[in-house]
Amino acid sequence: TLSHRIPFSDGVSHWYEGGGQGSFSSLWVGAPLRAGSRRWGGVLVQFGMSGVNARLTETLIQILAIVGALTLINFLSTGWVVRRWMNPITELTRSMEAVRAGNMDVSVSVDRADEIGQLARQFGAMLQGLQKARDQREESVRKQANLEKLAALGRLSAGVAHEINNPLTTILGYA
């Protein structure tokens, strides 16, 4: 009855039977029996697929669990990496914005051995140089103000001496 479905002339054949939604109830394998050029019949074997279907379902569930766990690990590690790299950059950016706004008393506390740490150290050195230059400028302005005060005092003294000298010269001339 099943022999009409087996294409014995083509060699070993197989097909699935039954089941639904991607699973099968049976696997049929047929092979011709030949001796020389004469065909003597065929062999037909049926394999039950219920154990295979159950194992495939278990394997699919395991694969989905592993993929889900790896996806979660990927998201967590990506978040950690982004925070590790972005927090120091954000801190540097805030410090730079504070300096741009005129606040030179900011400190950069990024302690790393990579390029971001090097950038933070260079920014800190630049800030120290700017603060030193600002202090020197303030000292120069203060000294300049003192010199201007002394110059004004000298002019005042010269003016007072001249005003006192004129009457004294007149008195000395009469005397």
Side-chain angles (χ1 to χ4, degrees):
T1 60
L2 292 174
S3 62
H4 68 280
R5 293 199 292 183
I6 303 172
F8 286 119
S9 60
D10 294 339
V12 177
S13 300
H14 70 280
W15 66 92
Y16 297 97
E17 195 174 67
Q21 296 184 8
S23 65
F24 301 99
S25 62
S26 298
L27 168 64
W28 291 87
V29 178
L33 292 176
R34 295 184 187 181
S37 62
R38 184 170 174 190
R39 187 177 73 166
W40 288 89
V43 175
L44 183 63
V45 180
Q46 177 186 15
F47 296 98
M49 298 293 289
S50 62
V52 173
N53 288 332
R55 183 67 183 139
L56 285 174
T57 303
E58 289 174 19
T59 304
L60 180 63
I61 290 171
Q62 289 173 350
I63 289 172
L64 289 176
I66 290 170
V67 167
L70 289 175
T71 302
L72 179 64
I73 289 170
N74 185 27
F75 281 132
L76 293 176
S77 62
T78 300
W80 178 79
V81 167
V82 166
R83 276 194 316 277
R84 169 138 171 79
W85 286 96
M86 291 308 296
N87 284 347
I89 293 172
T90 303
E91 184 177 338
L92 273 173
T93 303
R94 285 186 190 133
S95 298
M96 289 176 187
E97 288 172 356
V99 169
R100 186 178 65 194
N103 181 10
M104 298 288 287
D105 297 324
V106 297
S107 65
V108 180
S109 62
V110 176
D111 186 28
R112 296 168 56 134
D114 58 2
E115 292 84 2
I116 294 174
Q118 185 178 5
L119 178 65
R121 285 188 293 280
Q122 291 298 321
F123 182 70
M126 182 188 71
L127 277 178
Q128 288 177 349
L130 288 173
Q131 288 170 344
K132 183 178 177 183
R134 181 187 64 182
D135 292 344
Q136 288 175 348
R137 182 182 58 85
E138 288 174 357
E139 179 67 21
S140 296
V141 167
R142 189 181 56 76
K143 285 181 180 180
Q144 180 68 29
N146 283 339
L147 288 174
E148 287 177 6
K149 288 178 188 176
L150 288 175
L153 183 61
R155 285 191 299 275
L156 178 66
S157 299
V160 168
H162 179 69
E163 292 300 324
I164 292 176
N165 195 22
N166 282 342
L168 286 178
T169 302
T170 305
I171 292 174
L172 191 62
Y174 285 124

